[in-house]
Amino acid sequence: MSINTVGVIGAGQMGNGIAHVFAVAGYDVVLTDISDDALKAAVALIDRNLDRQIGKGLITAAAKAEAMKHITTTPKLTDLGQTDLIIEAATERETIKQAIFEDLLPHLKPDTILTSNTSSISITRLASRTDRPEKFMGFHFMNPVPIMQLVELIRGIATDEATFKTCQGVVEKLGKTSTASEDFPAFIVNRILMPMINEAIYTLYEGVGSVQSIDTSLKLGANHPMGPLELADFIGLDTCLAIMNVLHDGLADTKYRPCPLLTKYVEAGWLGRKTQRGFYDYRGEVPVPTR
């Protein structure tokens, strides 16, 4: 299967990064979102991030200009119907993702591959709600997409080999590395990463250490580039909670029970960097621990 045009659903943190890397790799990208403001902000952010790559010597100014030509935006989901590959990067809620695919189905080409950037939801279940489960799979990028080298490819029970090989080839053309994961809750990266973050939150909740001492301990004691609470804020505490709930519900093991403190922060609307408050307060010049 030849992939030349790519549709990206969702212009948020993940969607704009996905559009960025595909455009740099020479694919024609159609980016859609229900919000015109989100689309304008995404294009502006891609422009700035490309400038950063120029500053680091990763791309040339000519390559940036060429990449920007490859990106078009539209508020109409149906405009993605004629693309070869679609990557859904909407909110991490299964009902929203299902509704998007149902609205899209009547407008697709017969050979269009459907994928989801979900970080934890069952690919088999999402695929079963479409007319092409054999051409559906998980295409999970890491955040921030232009920097992180890994893409998890997740086959549903019905995904055929041709679809998998095509997506594997696309990842290679992006200059990234793919790993194959079976369709179990949270796949590989988040199956390991999120319980670690959740345990760090329990460590804070139980008073074993402060935000600063926990993050410093993991950065210097385990050589992690970011502490687990700092990383949780970067990912988004609502996303962390959603993934822990998927693990807890899907695997029925109490070791995946979300920490009550994580739930409390999400209830407060303290979701991390995107809301300026989480385990750190980002409203000043320097992030300050909130506990």
Side-chain angles (χ1 to χ4, degrees), residues 20-267:
H20 173 140
V21 297
F22 272 94
V24 169
Y27 291 96
D28 289 324
V29 179
V30 184
L31 177 64
T32 188
D33 197 283
I34 56 173
S35 165
D36 278 326
D37 288 342
L39 288 171
K40 289 173 186 173
V43 172
L45 182 57
I46 291 168
D47 188 271
R48 291 197 301 274
N49 286 339
L50 287 168
D51 281 338
R52 286 195 185 98
Q53 289 183 314
I54 292 171
K56 293 176 181 177
L58 299 174
I59 63 170
T60 64
K64 175 199 168 178
E66 187 63 27
M68 292 303 292
K69 286 183 200 173
H70 282 296
I71 300 172
T72 59
T73 63
T74 176
K76 291 175 62 180
L77 180 66
T78 54
D79 287 345
L80 273 61
Q82 296 305 300
T83 56
D84 303 320
L85 169 67
I86 291 175
I87 302 173
E88 170 273 314
T91 304
E92 189 70 354
R93 285 173 56 190
E94 188 166 351
T95 52
I96 291 174
K97 294 178 186 296
Q98 287 174 345
I100 286 169
F101 288 125
E102 286 169 8
D103 288 346
L104 195 54
L105 288 178
H107 308 280
L108 296 177
K109 298 190 299 182
D111 57 348
T112 296
I113 294 175
L114 288 177
T115 70
S116 176
N117 183 59
T118 179
S119 52
S120 59
I121 296 168
S122 168
I123 297 303
T124 297
R125 199 163 58 236
L126 286 174
S128 72
R129 301 290 292 269
T130 75
D131 63 352
R132 61 196 67 205
E134 73 286 349
K135 292 184 183 301
F136 192 109
M137 67 182 299
F139 209 123
H140 181 216
F141 287 87
M142 306 296 125
N143 184 40
V145 180
I147 295 171
M148 300 295 279
Q149 289 301 302
L150 182 70
V151 179
E152 281 183 316
L153 295 179
I154 306 100
R155 277 180 278 213
I157 197 170
T159 307
D160 64 27
E161 188 65 14
T163 298
F164 176 76
K165 290 294 186 186
T166 298
C167 289
Q168 200 173 42
V170 168
V171 175
E172 287 177 13
K173 187 174 176 184
L174 295 177
K176 296 187 181 293
T177 300
S178 64
T179 54
S181 169
E182 294 302 313
D183 188 20
F184 280 80
F187 319 130
I188 295 172
V189 173
N190 284 318
R191 171 77 176 265
I192 298 167
L193 176 64
M194 285 301 160
M196 184 198 76
I197 287 175
N198 195 52
E199 193 63 27
I201 299 169
Y202 267 114
T203 305
L204 177 66
Y205 179 59
E206 293 167 4
V208 179
S210 65
V211 168
Q212 189 168 14
S213 63
I214 291 166
D215 276 352
T216 300
S217 294
L218 268 291
K219 281 193 282 191
L220 301 184
N223 204 27
H224 290 189
M226 297 173 73
L229 302 175
E230 183 185 5
L231 180 57
D233 276 357
F234 182 76
I235 293 167
L237 302 191
D238 53 338
T239 300
C240 293
L241 179 59
I243 296 170
M244 286 309 302
N245 281 328
V246 166
L247 281 165
H248 191 229
D249 295 343
L251 298 171
D253 192 323
T254 55
K255 73 180 180 180
Y256 298 116
R257 183 173 71 97
C259 179
L261 184 60
L262 173 60
T263 303
K264 189 65 69 179
Y265 268 65
V266 173
E267 287 174 345

